[in-house]
Amino acid sequence: AKIINTVLTSIVPNFWSSSDREIRDLLRSSLSTVGAISAIISSIQGLIIQLEAKRESQDTAKCSDLISVLSEVLKRDSSIHSIWTSLRTSSPSAVQLDLVWKQFANIIGSGKVLSVVAEAEDALPDTSLDKQHRWLAAGSEYAGWLGRSIAYFAIKEHVSKDASTSQALSQLLTRALTIGHALPFITALHTTLLRHAAEPVSTTGTSLRYTAQYLPTHSRRAFLEHTLRWLATLLSHHDADHIVSASSAQDVSAAAYLLDVLVADDETLRRYLMTFSTDPATSSSFPFTIRRAVLAVISREEDDALHTVFEDILRNFSDPLFIKHAPTVQQESMAQTLLVAAGYIHRATPVGLLTLVRASGHMQGVSNRLDASNDRGRWLGMIVGTALSGLVDKEGMTMNFGTDDMRTAEAHWYLDLIKVDDDLGSREALLKLTKQDAVARRPRQKHDKRITSLPVIDGKPTFGPLRPPQAPVQTEVEGAKVTEILDSSSDADNDLNPYAKPDSDPEDSDEDATLVNRNKTRPPVYSRDLMTMLRDTENHGPFTLGLQHAAGLIRRKIGFGKEVSDHAAELARVLCSLQDAFDTDDFDELKLQALIAVVMSSPTTIAPWLGRQAFVGEYSIAQRCVMLIALGLSGRELAGLQEPDELNPVSSKPSFPSKQLPSHLHSIYTPSNRRLEAAHTSLEKSLIAPLALQAADQSTAHLNAVKVRTFSSRMETARTKRKAPPNGLAKIFAQCYFTPLIRSYQQDVAAYGSGSLWVSTPFLLVTLLKTLALLLHASGPATLALRDVTEEFWQMLLALRVQALGDITVLEAVLFGFLTLLEVNTNKQQLADEFSKQLMETRDWVDMVFERTGASGLVDQEGTGEEAKVRTLAAGVLVRAGEIMEASRAAFMGGMSDF
């Protein structure tokens, strides 16, 4: 301890920054012990306190040097294995070895290093810490290093089959699973084990079993679940569309290979896979390809595990309570898993499937499904009944409903699930899959070379195909020259008026004409040129010019050829991940307009993709909000609600230099144009205004005799009445807009619970709710599958009641959603009959919100602010709910409703 203290207090501050590589390696090797690492972290913590109290250059240098030393000690993947080897050789007893190793696992695996270095990084100046040592404060990079180090440890030690080493690995792995960055950790662990080419093929399975064999039960389940999450990211490209292509069989088999390796000879993990398949909430949070891989593993078991899974799923699928209350995404998940399991059982033992179907009340379940009020639930019952009848019934006696919705592409895909038969893949197939994923996630190379290689004509870069060669231009007069002799005494020029001095142009303000850049970048002409300019993060000119012309270029080419439709997905991907590297003026506005134009180019394809993309990937909150806003505004444009002042205006860029304030002052004195908020406010006023007028009219009912009413002639009314534009959103809203958003939200919440970004970030949730409400109102009463949309959206809003009471912005969005639901469903009698329970719950809860908001004095005297808006929305919901209930009561009482 004295030696370590001397090194850290005397040698490192004085000699570390000026030492060469050889001396640094000697210091690093001497500090590669558990005690030294613990002392370094303690020293950093002490310096953090001093830096927060008073920042001095001496303390800053000491803290930076200690972080640099810690980074050098830990940065190698073999560092943990080296520490374990030195501990095992130097420890006098197994008890002392176990105590020291537990201390080291708590320091490294629990995230203490990560938190201490991150705190020190905040206390230090921005330039004092080298970039190469900042990985200790980055959660994903630190988790990746930890995963690679544990994999290296397992590869080196699994041959020995030493029980104490395996227990040490399990202790470290148990702590690492709680670090909070599970996906980078699992990714690094598995990819390192797979890509270790020096060992035989059995390395992956042997190393994994050697590492995890002493894990506690809860840690085993967590490890398997994190592995499933990682595999889901590898197979996510197969679930881009609802219908999964047959080419995914090879990748599913590769995922099944890894799962089979993990659960081999482990009864606990095998039971967890069975529970995973039968639990609707858990299995629906994973893509269908993962469920296929899990069933492929279960089907290889010698016992009747798959029969048990089939019986449990069929029992849940036929339960009337599950049919009535479960989200649609869970019912779809159960139907898909049930059909795949039925196919496996039928190929193995056809008689066994017949026995299971006959003994499990399958026909009663189909009857329950056919009696369901939900169209989607009824359709799933028809699908399952038809598929199972085709397997167990004789030819000519199979079930056939003969409806149009049973002949769609989606229905054929569901019916073909009984033919799915995935094998267990190999290590090579899984390694190939990880390499493909690494290539797909690798950042693109800089595109400046591609831009400079474009053809240059007359000293200016051009886009598109090369121009044909032109004939030489005549510059001199041939033949006799004619000279015009002017009379200098003429006064004809006195009638000419001189032009006014033009506005100043910054590009021509330089006095030296040779310094003016004449090689101006031209606007993009083709979609490929546009993507090239948007990816150019090195040159400000092409990036800004491409962004300014993106929306106009895409909209001009929507109706001409297939150029935009062929590149729509790639354009959307570029715009979703676009970053403002040059502090561009109106960056968010231009990006939003371009994204709206891409959605409008192919709404049936890009809108579902964008709805799912908002919930996946490593996007920021701002980027996810832009995706949602683009969906909302593009849907309103499809519905014909295109208002130039609020929705999708033409970018007002002056065509000639004009006098205006500088950009940093212009943005302050110019009102911000928040599209979604503007549309939300406008719709909110349109919903509340009729209610206010009705209330005012009722309050002055005693003056009806003196009220003046104006009548218009039929000709004048017909002349002034405008024909409503066609609503193109109504027929695609449910399938292309609502379903991808609501399904992705349900899967994300089911997967991460309170840790979901959509639960922990109220602003993001509010944006989602307002987007759904605006789209539903724009789609209107003519929406296809309006009943299913109403049921799904109503369930979502009711589930957010507790969270809404804790945040006023969420409360406002939930009330706005309720009001929109009641406004769009114009058939009040049907709404009261089919959603009576939801209507009563909504009215009671909103009444409680209304009373609590008014009784506690939250509303100010002027009636402004968030509280007043909440009270107004609550009053609107209560009025609409009362009208619906009154209409239902009148229909029930008939002509006696007035007595």
Side-chain angles (χ1 to χ4, degrees), residues 391-455:
L391 292 177
V392 300
D393 293 335
K394 296 181 180 179
E395 187 70 25
M397 300 180 62
T398 58
M399 192 179 298
N400 184 11
F401 292 93
T403 57
D404 293 337
D405 53 0
M406 294 295 292
R407 290 188 287 267
T408 60
E410 185 181 6
H412 287 299
W413 177 79
Y414 268 90
L415 294 175
D416 288 340
L417 289 181
I418 58 176
K419 303 176 184 178
V420 172
D421 188 10
D422 297 311
D423 298 326
L424 299 181
S426 60
R427 173 181 174 271
E428 288 76 14
L430 184 58
L431 181 61
K432 179 181 178 182
L433 182 61
T434 56
K435 290 181 178 179
Q436 292 175 354
D437 181 72
V439 172
R441 295 176 182 272
R442 185 179 303 164
R444 293 181 177 270
Q445 301 295 329
K446 297 179 181 180
H447 291 267
D448 51 350
K449 295 182 179 180
R450 182 176 177 181
I451 293 179
T452 56
S453 62
L454 292 173

Side-chain angles (χ1 to χ4, degrees), residues 638-745:
L638 279 174
L641 302 176
Q642 187 175 5
E643 304 173 8
D645 293 336
E646 293 183 359
L647 302 175
N648 305 322
V650 179
S651 180
S652 58
K653 289 292 181 181
S655 57
F656 195 79
S658 60
K659 298 294 183 181
Q660 66 177 15
L661 292 173
S663 58
H664 65 281
L665 295 177
H666 184 74
S667 60
I668 296 176
Y669 291 100
T670 302
S672 60
N673 189 8
R674 300 178 180 272
R675 299 293 181 73
L676 192 67
E677 290 298 327
H680 165 258
T681 304
S682 176
L683 177 57
E684 184 179 315
K685 291 180 179 179
S686 65
L687 295 179
I688 296 297
L691 300 178
L693 292 176
Q694 182 181 357
D697 188 65
Q698 291 178 357
S699 64
T700 58
H702 59 285
L703 300 177
N704 288 339
V706 297
K707 288 181 180 179
V708 179
R709 185 176 180 183
T710 304
F711 294 91
S712 301
S713 64
R714 185 182 304 174
M715 298 295 294
E716 183 180 357
T717 303
R719 181 175 58 84
T720 58
K721 184 178 181 180
R722 295 183 179 180
K723 184 179 180 181
N727 192 339
L729 179 64
K731 58 184 178 181
I732 65 172
F733 166 68
Q735 181 181 2
C736 300
Y737 283 86
F738 181 79
T739 300
L741 287 173
I742 204 75
R743 296 290 187 276
S744 301
Y745 172 77

Side-chain angles (χ1 to χ4, degrees), residues 219-232:
S219 297
R220 291 185 189 183
R221 293 180 178 177
F223 182 67
L224 180 58
E225 184 176 354
H226 292 322
T227 302
L228 289 172
R229 296 288 177 196
W230 171 62
L231 292 175

Side-chain angles (χ1 to χ4, degrees), residues 12 16 19-32 37 40 64-80 83 130-136 145:
V12 170
W16 175 260
S19 301
D20 55 7
R21 173 54 57 183
E22 183 179 359
I23 297 178
R24 287 194 176 192
D25 290 340
L26 292 175
L27 288 173
R28 175 183 55 79
S29 60
S30 63
L31 295 174
S32 297
I37 294 174
I40 293 174
S64 301
D65 290 340
L66 288 176
I67 295 176
S68 176
V69 171
L70 185 61
S71 174
E72 292 293 330
V73 169
L74 296 178
K75 71 177 182 179
R76 297 177 303 158
D77 295 342
S78 60
S79 57
I80 294 180
I83 292 174
D130 293 339
K131 186 178 180 180
Q132 60 180 348
H133 304 311
R134 293 181 183 269
W135 66 273
L136 289 171
W145 164 82

Side-chain angles (χ1 to χ4, degrees), residues 228-242:
L228 289 172
R229 296 288 177 196
W230 171 62
L231 292 175
T233 59
L234 294 181
L235 302 178
S236 60
H237 59 282
H238 292 298
D239 290 292
D241 299 323
H242 174 75

